[in-house]
Amino acid sequence: MGALQSSPGHPEYIDLSEKTGFSIEQIGVLHKRFKQLSHNEESLRREQFEEIPDLACNPIRAQIIEAFFDKRNYHQNGEGTVNEIGFEEFLVVMSHFRPPSLHITEEQLEKVRREKLRFLFNMHDTDNDGTITLEEYRHVVEELLSRSGALGKETAKSIADAAMLEVASISMGHMEPDEFYEGITFEHFLKLLDGFEIESKMSVRFLNMDTITLCK
């Protein structure tokens, strides 16, 4: 995978570099990992993600896997899911975890931030209806808390419900007793995470990484 930029066999890598922001070297590392996961096939299936040991104990493992097969995450304004993905789709999804360049404008940085937050929002909006409902939010919080072993399922559920009510008060302000909170919209999500430095926290380092831990 060396010198991909000058290789006539991989002209598409230059285009992928421009599209995702990864360097040619990083694309080479990611392509190697893609081939490992797909067993040298041209497409990658859900069950092959299930084989990644580092994902086995992750409490939001299902959401992480689903994100790779969600058309909303391919920069194409798509909807729905697919059953398998090629290297380009894999690379585009991985680009959501790429740390922003040090030499970008404020406008570009805001675009990166919005894309990362949209990706996170999509992971939690599991039914693709444009809102993160109490049930979806509760599921994530319950999984995060109960899988730690420190809390029981009912305690985790109570914490999730309380957290959602707090989110509702921040998003909507005062609510009447009979008013129903439908869920967090993307605009509310942006408001909730205003000031949270997502740009570098939601990142993975690729250059000196052991490919075994790439999708950790």
Side-chain angles (χ1 to χ4, degrees):
M1 279 293 170
L4 291 174
Q5 190 167 10
S6 60
S7 171
H10 297 283
E12 70 277 13
Y13 281 28
I14 299 173
D15 179 59
L16 288 175
S17 178
E18 294 174 353
K19 182 180 295 185
T20 63
F22 287 124
S23 69
I24 298 299
E25 180 183 5
Q26 290 170 327
I27 291 174
V29 172
L30 287 163
H31 189 262
K32 180 178 179 181
R33 182 54 171 155
F34 178 85
K35 285 296 190 180
Q36 289 174 336
L37 292 173
S38 68
H39 305 298
N40 287 319
E41 297 293 332
E42 293 301 315
S43 60
L44 190 57
R45 301 184 304 278
R46 276 185 179 82
E47 58 265 29
Q48 290 168 323
F49 272 92
E50 305 272 352
E51 299 170 2
I52 301 174
D54 291 319
L55 282 177
C57 298
N58 193 304
I60 58 170
R61 170 173 170 266
Q63 286 92 336
I64 292 172
I65 294 174
E66 190 62 28
F68 282 88
F69 299 90
D70 188 335
K71 290 182 181 179
R72 294 175 295 175
N73 297 327
Y74 300 154
H75 295 168
Q76 297 172 353
N77 299 318
E79 292 185 2
T81 60
V82 294
N83 294 319
E84 56 184 40
I85 57 172
F87 179 57
E88 179 171 345
E89 289 80 18
F90 175 81
L91 195 65
V92 169
V93 174
M94 290 300 294
S95 72
H96 291 287
F97 296 95
R98 187 179 65 85
S101 169
L102 297 175
H103 308 291
I104 61 175
T105 65
E106 286 296 321
E107 183 179 351
Q108 290 171 324
L109 187 62
E110 180 58 31
K111 181 182 178 183
V112 168
R113 173 182 171 78
R114 192 176 180 91
E115 286 178 351
K116 285 178 180 285
L117 288 173
R118 172 59 78 177
F119 179 80
L120 276 179
F121 183 85
N122 290 347
M123 283 182 65
H124 292 82
D125 177 21
T126 54
D127 61 1
N128 192 13
D129 68 348
T131 61
I132 299 173
T133 64
L134 173 59
E135 200 59 40
E136 289 167 334
Y137 186 78
R138 176 191 290 152
H139 174 72
V140 173
V141 174
E142 285 181 9
E143 287 293 296
L144 287 170
L145 295 176
S146 63
R147 287 288 189 92
S148 69
L151 297 172
K153 200 75 173 178
E154 286 304 310
T155 303
K157 177 180 178 299
S158 298
I159 293 174
D161 288 351
M164 193 61 175
L165 288 175
E166 183 176 353
V167 166
S169 67
I170 294 172
S171 301
M172 304 295 290
H174 176 72
M175 295 179 65
E176 298 299 327
D178 60 345
E179 194 172 356
F180 177 70
Y181 182 56
E182 295 182 356
I184 307 170
T185 65
F186 182 59
E187 294 306 316
H188 290 158
F189 194 67
L190 291 176
K191 185 191 299 184
L192 288 168
L193 294 179
D194 183 41
F196 182 74
E197 207 264 306
I198 189 71
E199 294 88 339
S200 61
K201 291 184 182 298
M202 185 176 158
S203 63
V204 178
R205 296 186 181 277
F206 299 102
L207 287 177
N208 300 313
M209 178 175 285
D210 181 343
T211 54
I212 293 176
T213 65
L214 191 57
C215 294
K216 191 171 182 178

